Amino acid sequence: QVQLVESGGGLVQAGGSLRLSCAASGRAFSGYNMGWFRQAPGKEREFVGGIIWSGGSTYYADSVKGRFTISRDNAKNTMYLQMNSLKPENTAVYYCARLTTSWGTSSPGGAYWGQGTQVTVSS
């Protein structure tokens, strides 16, 4: 069993930055590809980006490329999402999850969802 806990969300003005964290406990974290997802009000959950188990490769949805960066510290069982140049349309609940589909899939599946952390970007 894996437990994932997201934190770091909050209210930020457009153009600002936030850093989200995803802390993992339970079964091994370091051996799995991980991802960030988000769900805005009235919309389906969407993929934000993923990081390979070693941290050596990442990929992102086109909407966040160049502004968001995913990293991980396997020694701390933690993954991060650095979000810069935030826009009001980035307002959503952000979730982390273990990726369950092939690396590089544009709409990957996830498992062991956390409870999410709310990010609100004001204009």
Side-chain angles (χ1 to χ4, degrees):
Q1 191 71 8
V2 175
Q3 294 82 40
L4 300 174
V5 179
E6 303 91 342
S7 62
L11 174 63
V12 63
Q13 288 188 331
S17 298
L18 279 176
R19 188 195 196 201
L20 307 184
S21 297
C22 171
S25 60
R27 296 187 65 183
F29 168 81
S30 60
Y32 295 95
N33 301 336
M34 299 292 295
W36 285 98
F37 298 75
R38 66 187 179 188
Q39 187 167 19
K43 296 186 177 181
E44 294 186 354
R45 185 161 52 196
E46 64 175 357
F47 175 68
V48 173
I51 186 165
I52 207 165
W53 65 272
S54 65
S57 181
T58 56
Y59 73 112
Y60 302 92
D62 288 344
S63 60
V64 306
K65 280 181 182 176
R67 298 187 299 117
F68 290 13
T69 303
I70 298 174
S71 60
R72 65 191 295 166
D73 185 339
N74 285 340
K76 295 182 178 179
N77 284 354
T78 303
M79 176 177 65
Y80 305 97
L81 177 64
Q82 177 68 44
M83 305 185 293
N84 299 328
S85 302
L86 283 162
K87 305 175 182 180
E89 54 263 41
N90 299 142
T91 295
V93 178
Y94 283 71
Y95 301 88
C96 60
R98 179 189 292 178
L99 297 182
T100 58
T101 48
S102 298
W103 178 248
T105 302
S106 60
S107 297
Y112 303 111
W113 300 93
Q115 85 290 346
T117 186
Q118 175 71 48
V119 171
T120 303
V121 185
S122 63
S123 58

